[in-house]
Amino acid sequence: MIPYGRQDISQADIDAVIQVLQSDFLTQGPMVPKFEYAVASYTGARYALAVNSATSALHIACLALGLGEGDYLWTTPITFVASSNCALYCGAQVDFVDIDPKTYNINPLALREKLKKAKETNTLPKIVVAVHLCGQVCEMDKIHALAQEYGFKVIEDASHAIGGTYQGVPVGACQYSDITVFSFHPVKIITTAEGGMALTNCANLAQKMDLLRSHGITRNPQLMTKQPDGSWYYQQIDLGFNYRMTELQAALGVSQMHRLDEFISRRHLLAERYDSLLADLPVIVPWQHPDSYSGLHLYVIRLSLDKIKRTHKQVFERLRELGVGVNLHYIPVHTQPYYQTLGFKEGSFPEAEKYYTEAISLPMFHTLSFEQQDTVVEALRKALYE
Ligand SMILES: *Cc1c(COP(=O)(O)O)cnc(C)c1O
């Protein structure tokens, strides 16, 4: 089976991890700061905090921005559940904004309309999570302008988008947001096995997230309520978690960062190749906004169902039978049973729901060969017509 995504681990990656295993520190050593420095330098963000997953990063990002009971977080329904679950962890409420039918990202026009109404009913969001689906960056300039007008904070869920740029600026620079989050799960662009990172340019937010990822404990006398009792002394000054990244993970991350640009250009080459190989098939290939240079975590096609005699499910299942490990990103979050118990109804976000009935993620990863790609396209042709 050709998977839809997979990691690429080099001998240098393996050596880097073994070196840490033989060193003094398996956790809380020098590699985590080194990885943070590498990602901060690459993106241009002032502060970077490595954690054990993007889910953890989203949680501490929300807490650092003060999200709590009575507050709202808004995001897109076409995302992984973690983008909205982070609000529920904080006791806040979630709402969704429908997607743009061209980019599949949160639609800034729909966002504006919803904000207008929310202002009247006093239910404006405290945070909007902009998810860069497939790596294509959301229209951040428009979202930022709305954030200024309506006074909400912006988190970029850039789990798909490390290595990309927006208006020429690296994703992660937080040019138009308060905090940006990356995921280093093995299917993502670079990996640390499990892992994530939160980036910000705000010293105060960085300090809060630093505390929250490690129990709310500090060894910095300037943050303590009194002089330290002695050199053993630490204080818990907030309620945090153990969301730390290990040294092994960070070493893998540092090593993977060396190949990030190579990974991204390969993904672009593969995407261009797909675009031309699929040109005569009844599918819609990904449209790219000119402001965004995508990280291309995913390559999602939409079936033109009116032009074929097969259903979406038939095409999907046939591809799997033919050895192509296609996937579907994502099931609209508001249709998940857990979200239905919170009161969400099917039919509320029609563009997202329509997308779900047509979308298929084709294999897209650094080591995908042209031969494998040709096999995928041949299989798709069969699945659509035979
Ligand atoms: C993968 C992913 C996450 C969660 O990442 P983890 O590192 O697995 O916690 C969150 N949001 C999006 C959009 C993702 O794709």
Side-chain angles (χ1 to χ4, degrees):
M1 184 82 89
I2 304 172
Y4 84 88
R6 67 158 291 150
Q7 71 277 15
D8 177 26
I9 301 297
S10 68
Q11 191 57 47
D13 293 339
I14 294 167
D15 293 344
V17 174
I18 289 174
Q19 237 177 24
V20 169
L21 274 170
Q22 292 166 334
S23 77
D24 290 339
F25 296 101
L26 300 186
T27 188
Q28 293 176 288
M31 285 319 283
V32 165
K34 200 170 165 189
F35 184 36
E36 291 171 340
Y37 180 77
V39 179
S41 311
Y42 183 91
T43 57
R46 210 165 296 158
Y47 306 97
L49 293 118
V51 286
N52 58 4
S53 71
T55 304
S56 305
L58 286 163
H59 185 194
I60 61 173
C62 287
L63 288 173
L65 290 169
L67 192 74
E69 229 169 284
D71 293 328
Y72 273 96
L73 175 148
W74 290 5
T75 190
T76 166
I78 300 298
T79 185
F80 186 56
V81 293
S83 312
S84 52
N85 284 345
C86 54
L88 305 178
Y89 300 156
C90 301
Q93 279 175 277
V94 173
D95 206 352
F96 299 97
V97 179
D98 210 352
I99 60 166
D100 177 320
K102 241 173 133 173
T103 63
Y104 317 148
N105 280 330
I106 194 167
N107 185 338
L109 292 174
L111 177 60
R112 194 177 65 190
E113 288 314 305
K114 198 174 174 98
L115 286 164
K116 268 190 208 158
K117 284 190 195 134
K119 191 171 182 185
E120 285 162 19
T121 54
N122 221 3
T123 52
L124 281 170
K126 184 169 232 168
I127 298 175
V128 170
V129 177
V131 181
H132 305 326
L133 191 75
C134 307
Q136 164 150 243
V137 186
C138 294
E139 290 175 80
M140 291 307 298
D141 52 356
K142 292 184 184 160
I143 294 170
H144 176 74
L146 291 168
Q148 301 294 104
E149 189 179 344
Y150 289 94
F152 58 84
K153 304 291 183 187
V154 179
I155 297 175
E156 291 175 75
D157 182 344
S159 293
H160 300 183
I162 193 170
T165 65
Y166 181 72
Q167 298 178 345
V169 177
V171 174
C174 301
Q175 182 191 16
Y176 290 121
S177 66
D178 297 278
I179 296 170
T180 300
V181 166
F182 291 138
S183 171
F184 307 123
H185 183 279
V187 297
K188 307 290 162 76
I189 294 165
I190 62 165
T191 190
T192 62
E194 295 280 359
M197 199 172 278
L199 298 106
T200 183
N201 292 321
C202 170
N204 186 35
L205 290 174
Q207 190 185 86
K208 281 185 185 161
M209 292 193 288
D210 188 26
L211 276 171
L212 288 165
R213 75 168 156 181
S214 196
H215 309 283
I217 280 172
T218 185
R219 290 180 181 277
N220 178 357
Q222 282 171 338
L223 299 179
M224 293 182 187
T225 56
K226 60 166 192 164
Q227 285 301 312
D229 294 343
S231 55
W232 66 85
Y233 195 68
Y234 58 82
Q235 274 192 347
Q236 183 187 345
I237 57 172
D238 199 350
L239 182 62
F241 311 89
N242 183 351
Y243 281 171
R244 291 186 306 258
M245 175 178 274
T246 69
E247 291 286 288
L248 305 171
Q249 293 170 302
L252 182 53
V254 170
S255 185
Q256 289 256 304
M257 277 302 285
H258 294 309
R259 289 188 297 152
L260 175 55
D261 287 339
E262 180 195 320
F263 288 169
I264 300 293
S265 28
R266 175 73 185 179
R267 284 171 183 272
H268 275 267
L269 181 65
L270 291 168
E272 280 162 29
R273 221 169 156 266
Y274 267 141
D275 287 350
S276 61
L277 292 170
L278 299 173
D280 65 332
L281 292 180
V283 300
I284 299 166
V285 298
W287 182 79
Q288 298 293 311
H289 193 290
D291 283 347
S292 158
Y293 178 71
S294 177
L296 271 169
H297 163 51
L298 299 172
Y299 188 90
V300 171
I301 57 164
R302 287 178 73 163
L303 305 182
S304 303
L305 290 169
D306 53 342
K307 295 185 190 143
I308 57 174
K309 294 196 181 69
R310 300 277 173 275
T311 66
H312 178 242
K313 189 173 171 181
Q314 282 171 337
V315 173
F316 190 101
E317 304 291 9
R318 185 94 179 94
L319 281 164
R320 286 249 174 120
E321 278 165 28
L322 292 167
V324 180
V326 286
N327 218 312
L328 210 174
H329 300 90
Y330 289 95
I331 306 160
V333 178
H334 69 282
T335 68
Q336 293 289 355
Y338 187 80
Y339 279 81
Q340 301 263 302
T341 68
L342 299 177
F344 290 101
K345 299 264 180 298
E346 280 190 43
S348 318
F349 305 101
E351 290 296 345
E353 290 169 37
K354 181 157 191 287
Y355 165 93
Y356 175 60
T357 65
E358 300 170 355
I360 296 179
S361 304
L362 298 184
M364 170 56 83
F365 51 95
H366 177 242
T367 53
L368 183 70
S369 68
F370 289 170
E371 292 73 28
Q372 283 177 315
Q373 210 181 10
D374 294 342
T375 307
V376 171
V377 175
E378 248 350 275
L380 179 62
R381 198 178 296 276
K382 274 192 194 138
L384 289 166
Y385 293 121
E386 285 173 22

